Amino acid sequence: MAKKQLNIGLIGYGFMGRAHSNAYNKVNKFFDLEYEPVLEAACARKKDNLKAFADRWGWKSVETDWRELVERDDIDAIDIVSPNVTHHDIAIAAAEAGKMVLCEKPLAMNGREGLEMTQAIEKAGVPNMVWFNYRRVPAIALARQLIDEGRVGRVFHYRAKYLQDWTISPDLPQGGPTLWRLDADVAGSGVTGDLLAHSIDTAIWLIGSVDKVSAMTETFIKERPLQDKPEVRKPVKIDDACAFLARFKNGALATFESTRYARGRKNQNTFEVNGELGAVYFDLEDAHQLQYYDHRDDSHVHGWRTVLVTDSGHPYMSNWWVPGCVIGYEHTFINALADFLKSLETGEPVRPNFRDALETQFVCDAVLKSAKTESWESVGR
Amino acid sequence: MAKKQLNIGLIGYGFMGRAHSNAYNKVNKFFDLEYEPVLEAACARKKDNLKAFADRWGWKSVETDWRELVERDDIDAIDIVSPNVTHHDIAIAAAEAGKMVLCEKPLAMNGREGLEMTQAIEKAGVPNMVWFNYRRVPAIALARQLIDEGRVGRVFHYRAKYLQDWTISPDLPQGGPTLWRLDADVAGSGVTGDLLAHSIDTAIWLIGSVDKVSAMTETFIKERPLQDKPEVRKPVKIDDACAFLARFKNGALATFESTRYARGRKNQNTFEVNGELGAVYFDLEDAHQLQYYDHRDDSHVHGWRTVLVTDSGHPYMSNWWVPGCVIGYEHTFINALADFLKSLETGEPVRPNFRDALETQFVCDAVLKSAKTESWESVGR
Amino acid sequence: MAKKQLNIGLIGYGFMGRAHSNAYNKVNKFFDLEYEPVLEAACARKKDNLKAFADRWGWKSVETDWRELVERDDIDAIDIVSPNVTHHDIAIAAAEAGKMVLCEKPLAMNGREGLEMTQAIEKAGVPNMVWFNYRRVPAIALARQLIDEGRVGRVFHYRAKYLQDWTISPDLPQGGPTLWRLDADVAGSGVTGDLLAHSIDTAIWLIGSVDKVSAMTETFIKERPLQDKPEVRKPVKIDDACAFLARFKNGALATFESTRYARGRKNQNTFEVNGELGAVYFDLEDAHQLQYYDHRDDSHVHGWRTVLVTDSGHPYMSNWWVPGCVIGYEHTFINALADFLKSLETGEPVRPNFRDALETQFVCDAVLKSAKTESWESVGR
Amino acid sequence: MAKKQLNIGLIGYGFMGRAHSNAYNKVNKFFDLEYEPVLEAACARKKDNLKAFADRWGWKSVETDWRELVERDDIDAIDIVSPNVTHHDIAIAAAEAGKMVLCEKPLAMNGREGLEMTQAIEKAGVPNMVWFNYRRVPAIALARQLIDEGRVGRVFHYRAKYLQDWTISPDLPQGGPTLWRLDADVAGSGVTGDLLAHSIDTAIWLIGSVDKVSAMTETFIKERPLQDKPEVRKPVKIDDACAFLARFKNGALATFESTRYARGRKNQNTFEVNGELGAVYFDLEDAHQLQYYDHRDDSHVHGWRTVLVTDSGHPYMSNWWVPGCVIGYEHTFINALADFLKSLETGEPVRPNFRDALETQFVCDAVLKSAKTESWESVGR
């Protein structure tokens, strides 16, 4: 049966451009779907680099001005993987041009931008998704399933960490093509938008809305050279680390922490939920596992069980290999894309959409504000 | 060689009375020391229970009024394991009677009491120790040693948790002989004094003084029956859970959390230190291990190593068995007692003393205050 | 720069056909190579299934008779993923036709077949590889690197397990399209050829040649229905489980065990090497990690370190994502294919080749023979 | 209530003398029992060392000739912790003198000796126990309980390891007061009697009798200095390492391995049972945990659960502390002693008795024989 073709225009070609291109290439090989993405056009400012990228990944054409891409009639969906500072204008223009919009996280530089983007998207009524890819880790999806099945019950506690250690060296530059995440003008914030946004999205998905927060941030290395001009050193304006206390609307308590200075932790994105009936624990460094504690077990065999999330009965896994064979980082994007394409078949909107990501953005804003005011701050709407 | 006898008067006979009695019985069998504690007198109000306790553990005499015990000439040292609300008066009276004083943690109901106690102790100039027994877990002592050796370097992050789950059931009563820790009038606070005091003592020992905190507390179950009168239900006044952000004076950031509602966690007292050069992680549920990450290792073998802390070269372990043979919970008290007795030999004061415990008490006070004011609070001195 | 095209003819389309097709699709997207495989033709007997498979994966043409494929002038390399019983004739025919040959493991039904195949391959002088894909797990490649660096020293012990639990149910049929691994006439043996062959290949790669073995095998379920004719039950002739003792030529001792009846183990392929200076441990269920113990560490920090094998300095990983981002099962095939293509560039033969796989086959033969004779058996050459 | 006094005569004062003395001191403090052991007399040849030992541990008198001790009327029970070569004569003399006999493992130098001892004991009809203390690790006792509850079902596989690394250095001497375990004339064998005897006792207790074995042993360091005369080097006659395949009478397959050359393993005594319905795994280096897999769980939450064996409902633990508080190595002796004393109350013989230990001895004999004959050997009776 012939597939329905969905012509994609990708904006940006860095690390995420690679991850998304891979997803477009692979999704139909592993998932049975009506729709098939076509790698129609890739867009970026530096033509040479772009051309090499497009050739490698099979993008059929290139554009150096995203505004032209957005206007092209042959494009059905715009996928935004360019730096955060560009999301706002592109998303709104794409929505106004009637394109479907897929946007990398974090949604925007701040809640104000995010709100405008969300309003534009909703006004246009176009299918949309924000790539909080970790919702598509099978073990995290299983955590959600266990909660939905009532296995956790009333939630007392949530605790999330997202720890890395790659910016400890003071010699690491900031800004430029691969280190724009360290430049507040391009990234909006540091670990809050880059890492905590993931933690917050997961938390909201699993537990519900956050009511208020008390946060602290720190910038450990105060000055760094520029990647583009190593002889120039500039103050670092991003948050190197951020921790916050939170209260969910349902009464659960939470702690969140993120840093790029946690020596020894490479990509330790963890969460734990403690409920009346059970508990779950996840660590992205062991992404193929979910820890689950069931209080209703016979008491002498109470224990945390390590669920190896590779069975065909586990979320997404029937599309991949056989029990005991793990999938990796890149598959979260493929799973997400499959969900997006499936949503076009079923008409059931995919999540998280712009509205969901906006909620996460508002929490980030409250966190950053609280760190400045040194007060508890309510999450805006 | 005949040992110097040290006559002990123990006040209280509950769980901690048992742990301490065991320590007095065993310490000279495993440690070579000049001093030998003599189980001279045990004291508590309920004579029948006390008598059975004294018989079992070998206490030579009993007293039902601690004031009389404190005045006895044959007593060299008073060991206080009675509920928190009694610590203040006993410690001061014992100090004024010229006795050495060993006191269970937390030091006092609050900082004001603790200060008075510390002043009395220091005025009397008597040897004194507060039983923060976890400093004597070999793996925690090893963590301190690694830090002292410069293996961690500048500290960026500290995170501590102390999680239990034994009070989730709303049917659990409060107050009474074995559940006074749930009665704020007797315990002073809930998890803050009971569990977080341990975490704070360890943190100060490893990292240094805490500057300021932002805290939240919660009481999940609002009303419980009394243990003594099950037909009466009273409001619960303790903190069931407490989490706080902290900044150390040396610039390190910290998160602390404690609760008795963390389904699945029995006695999960953990800490992690992330420094420029290395990191350590400890979990009391695996008390025989210390996790250590050394950034100076060759990069392709970077990794968290699990140090099995049972070798004769590890703290305290030459006094016990052979490599691979673990010790348990009770041994932390024996190790602590050995340190106390050794300090009498050497004249080098043992730590933590009342002054150290007072610092922890001030942090607890700031935490509880912050939870009420919903503001950052500086730690008092 | 235009790539050199390498036209592939694939024989077989089951689970392994999928894994290999994926590798052909992806290898040039992640590795910089002179050669580029072209999915020229796929071959299998059932035309309808084959056609669907070829469409999905992008094979340009199909064949239903492997002899015709082998003769096609446009084919440069034959890749054999059909059942074990077919390997012998195909490999020899392909070699005689001057094709490069890539063959799934185990090499053959037995050593005699394997020897004939190897002789044919070597006589033809064609590039060849056997897909023992686990050599391309980055953590296993790192184990080899650590041994090569002299970090393990004189080896005393090797122990390997390969445990699964998917055949415990007596209702599971044997034979047929997806269960031919349970049919001795098609598979040659049970776990010995399917799982232990992996363990043996890894062992020989890491430690050296095996001298002699003492083995036992068992078939727990004596009779099973046929997958194709469920109403017919036939005796099970494969080994459900196999364990053996071994002595390496260098004097090291080993234990090997494999089964599909290890309840709770899904794909637990483990090995441990204990040497004078260090030790390594690997478990495929945590494939992103290597455990390493260095006896030359300071003694108080001796410990097994968990190396998260995701850094760019780790084998293969610079081609994938960033530290902390794992790859999955399928990547081992891509890494292997990259090595094969690289070997065409450099002229340095890739390993394991047919000769290497033959050595593993001889160990398997000795193991099966020993289980029958109940005696120690030397490994043939 | 006054306790019934049981006067103990202990023969030997090394590492095990210490562990047993501690048990006699502590058992009544933690267990409610009718009987109370009295440390009546300790016996060894070197009077000075013995005296110091007796003073430290509270033994009321000393003897330097075990024959005199055995004849003393005031002694109720003889506890043998002297080197293996002495067990035979002492046990028989003690039995003939009508004493209860407690004997350290392994029972004897070989099965012939063990049989004579068992016959003497049974003829005398005296209470008797062999100190296979690991049966009293709460987690191992829990494993037995889970099997008894039918949670494992038909057993397919058993695998046991007992790995240490303390004899790798060629400079380590043999023989003498603390290293007699390396002298075959005193110890009978190397790791087979010292370590594998534990593994075999546990296996028989959990699974049942062993039918036949195929073994290999190795002595890696061929010559060592004598501890008593370092200038003399003698051939090493013990087995440094031993591995064997086994078949249980009930059809289950097993692998066993033990060594003191497993770099990185300090006291890694592990076993795993794979049954039709469930599985258990234990590692003495994490002695407070039992891993349990329940195939009857809902399939999407299948997983190995880590049972923290510290709850009051777990074997032995109600006598100790509270959930989350672990016990250590020495407690296994106290638990065993409590079981022995309880058996005097109830008249229900304690296990393992001499007859049970004899069965283990016969397996050891078959293992050592098989290693010599390089054939499968049946276990004697």
Side-chain angles (χ1 to χ4, degrees), chain B residues 15 18 22 26 29-30 32 56-57 267 285-286 288-289 319-322 325-326 328-331, chain D residues 15 18 22 26 29-30 32 56-57 285-286 288-289 319-322 324-326 328-331:
Chain B
F15 179 80
R18 208 169 160 235
N22 181 61
K26 286 184 66 171
K29 297 190 170 60
F30 290 92
D32 291 312
R56 174 171 285 235
W57 289 99
N267 206 25
E285 288 187 359
D286 295 307
H288 57 306
Q289 299 177 348
N319 297 283
W320 297 103
W321 308 99
V322 294
C325 291
V326 300
Y329 170 72
E330 73 209 45
H331 301 77
Chain D
F15 179 80
R18 207 169 161 237
N22 182 61
K26 286 186 66 171
K29 296 192 170 59
F30 290 92
D32 292 312
R56 173 172 286 236
W57 290 98
E285 288 187 0
D286 295 306
H288 58 304
Q289 298 178 349
N319 297 283
W320 297 103
W321 308 100
V322 294
C325 291
V326 300
Y329 170 73
E330 73 210 47
H331 300 78

Side-chain angles (χ1 to χ4, degrees), chain C residues 135-150:
Chain C
R135 288 200 190 188
R136 271 70 189 203
V137 173
I140 297 183
L142 179 60
R144 167 68 191 252
Q145 180 183 335
L146 299 188
I147 290 169
D148 288 349
E149 289 170 0

Side-chain angles (χ1 to χ4, degrees), chain B residues 158-339:
Chain B
Y158 190 82
R159 64 189 67 82
K161 296 183 313 238
Y162 201 143
L163 310 182
Q164 301 182 336
D165 71 354
W166 60 280
T167 66
I168 293 177
S169 166
D171 299 331
L172 186 80
Q174 61 176 316
T178 67
L179 290 167
W180 60 263
R181 282 178 181 81
L182 276 66
D183 179 352
D185 294 339
V186 179
S189 67
V191 296
T192 301
D194 188 30
L195 305 181
L196 276 175
H198 275 302
S199 299
I200 294 164
D201 174 70
T202 301
I204 293 174
W205 191 46
L206 297 179
I207 309 298
S209 293
V210 175
D211 186 25
K212 59 180 189 171
V213 299
S214 173
M216 69 176 166
T217 58
E218 184 62 81
T219 305
F220 290 112
I221 305 291
K222 306 297 187 191
E223 224 180 58
R224 289 186 181 280
L226 300 184
Q227 189 176 37
D228 292 332
K229 294 189 185 176
E231 69 282 8
V232 179
R233 299 181 70 83
K234 288 228 171 160
V236 175
K237 293 189 290 175
I238 59 157
D239 41 307
D240 283 342
C242 176
F244 68 95
L245 309 176
R247 289 181 182 270
F248 285 91
K249 293 205 165 174
N250 65 10
L253 266 56
T255 62
F256 289 82
E257 184 186 3
S258 184
T259 180
R260 297 183 186 128
Y261 285 72
R263 179 62 77 204
R265 304 304 180 184
K266 302 303 166 188
N267 206 25
Q268 197 194 33
N269 173 7
T270 73
F271 64 82
E272 178 168 330
V273 186
N274 302 119
E276 188 170 0
L277 303 178
V280 294
Y281 175 78
F282 173 81
D283 179 348
L284 186 64
E285 288 187 359
D286 295 307
H288 57 306
Q289 299 177 348
L290 184 72
Q291 306 279 338
Y292 168 51
Y293 183 96
D294 187 348
H295 183 59
R296 292 171 297 188
D297 283 341
D298 290 338
S299 70
H300 65 304
V301 291
H302 271 158
W304 286 85
R305 64 184 87 160
T306 301
V307 181
L308 190 63
V309 189
T310 61
D311 282 357
S312 59
H314 288 138
Y316 301 105
M317 292 308 294
S318 64
N319 297 283
W320 297 103
W321 308 99
V322 294
C325 291
V326 300
I327 57 173
Y329 170 72
E330 73 209 45
H331 301 77
T332 55
F333 295 93
I334 307 171
N335 292 341
L337 179 59
D339 284 347

Side-chain angles (χ1 to χ4, degrees), chain A residues 9-302:
Chain A
L10 177 80
I11 302 174
Y13 66 94
F15 179 81
M16 279 300 157
R18 207 170 160 237
H20 289 220
S21 296
N22 182 60
Y24 292 121
N25 267 288
K26 285 184 68 170
V27 67
N28 292 97
K29 297 192 169 58
F30 290 91
F31 288 81
D32 292 312
L33 299 161
E34 285 180 19
Y35 283 84
E36 178 176 47
V38 177
L39 291 79
E40 198 64 31
C43 172
R45 280 175 302 179
K46 299 196 183 166
K47 190 153 191 179
D48 286 354
N49 293 351
L50 174 64
K51 196 64 183 47
F53 169 82
D55 283 352
R56 173 171 287 236
W57 289 100
W59 292 96
K60 293 161 64 177
S61 63
V62 297
E63 294 285 348
T64 55
D65 180 346
W66 65 259
R67 290 175 197 280
E68 294 192 17
L69 179 73
V70 163
E71 297 300 327
R72 272 173 56 168
D73 285 345
D74 61 340
I75 297 294
D76 299 311
I78 293 292
D79 184 8
I80 309 170
V81 301
S82 46
N84 305 346
V85 72
T86 67
H87 291 191
H88 175 266
D89 291 0
I90 298 172
I92 290 173
E96 288 176 350
K99 308 301 190 196
M100 303 179 194
V101 187
L102 301 96
C103 185
E104 254 305 323
K105 48 61 58 183
L107 180 61
M109 297 289 278
N110 50 55
R112 184 190 47 73
E113 274 193 13
L115 180 60
E116 290 169 7
M117 293 157 73
T118 303
Q119 285 168 341
I121 287 281
E122 292 181 349
K123 185 174 170 201
V126 291
N128 63 97
M129 179 173 80
V130 179
W131 293 89
F132 281 105
N133 60 306
Y134 292 137
R135 289 199 190 189
R136 271 71 188 202
V137 173
I140 297 183
L142 179 61
R144 168 68 192 251
Q145 180 183 335
L146 299 188
I147 290 169
D148 288 350
E149 289 171 1
R151 290 172 177 270
V152 169
R154 177 187 171 187
V155 174
F156 297 116
H157 290 287
Y158 190 81
R159 66 188 66 83
K161 295 184 313 240
Y162 202 142
L163 310 182
Q164 301 181 337
D165 70 355
W166 60 281
T167 66
I168 292 179
S169 166
D171 300 331
L172 186 80
Q174 61 176 318
T178 68
L179 290 166
W180 59 263
R181 283 178 180 80
L182 276 67
D183 178 352
D185 294 339
V186 179
S189 66
V191 296
T192 302
D194 187 29
L195 304 181
L196 277 175
H198 276 301
S199 298
I200 294 164
D201 174 69
T202 302
I204 293 174
W205 191 45
L206 296 179
I207 309 296
S209 293
V210 175
D211 186 25
K212 60 181 188 170
V213 300
S214 173
M216 68 177 168
T217 58
E218 185 61 81
T219 304
F220 290 112
I221 305 291
K222 307 299 187 191
E223 224 180 60
R224 291 186 179 279
L226 298 185
Q227 189 175 35
D228 292 333
K229 294 189 186 174
E231 69 283 8
V232 179
R233 298 182 70 83
K234 288 230 172 159
V236 176
K237 293 190 289 176
I238 59 157
D239 41 308
D240 283 343
C242 177
F244 67 93
L245 309 176
R247 290 182 181 271
F248 285 92
K249 295 206 163 172
N250 66 10
L253 265 56
T255 62
F256 289 82
E257 184 186 4
S258 184
T259 181
R260 296 181 187 130
Y261 285 71
R263 180 62 78 203
R265 305 303 180 185
K266 302 303 167 191
N267 207 24
Q268 197 193 34
N269 172 6
T270 73
F271 64 81
E272 178 167 331
V273 187
N274 302 119
E276 187 169 2
L277 304 178
V280 295
Y281 175 78
F282 173 81
D283 179 348
L284 186 65
E285 288 187 0
D286 295 306
H288 58 305
Q289 298 178 349
L290 185 71
Q291 306 279 339
Y292 167 52
Y293 183 96
D294 187 347
H295 183 59
R296 291 170 298 188
D297 283 342
D298 290 337
S299 69
H300 65 303
V301 291
H302 272 157

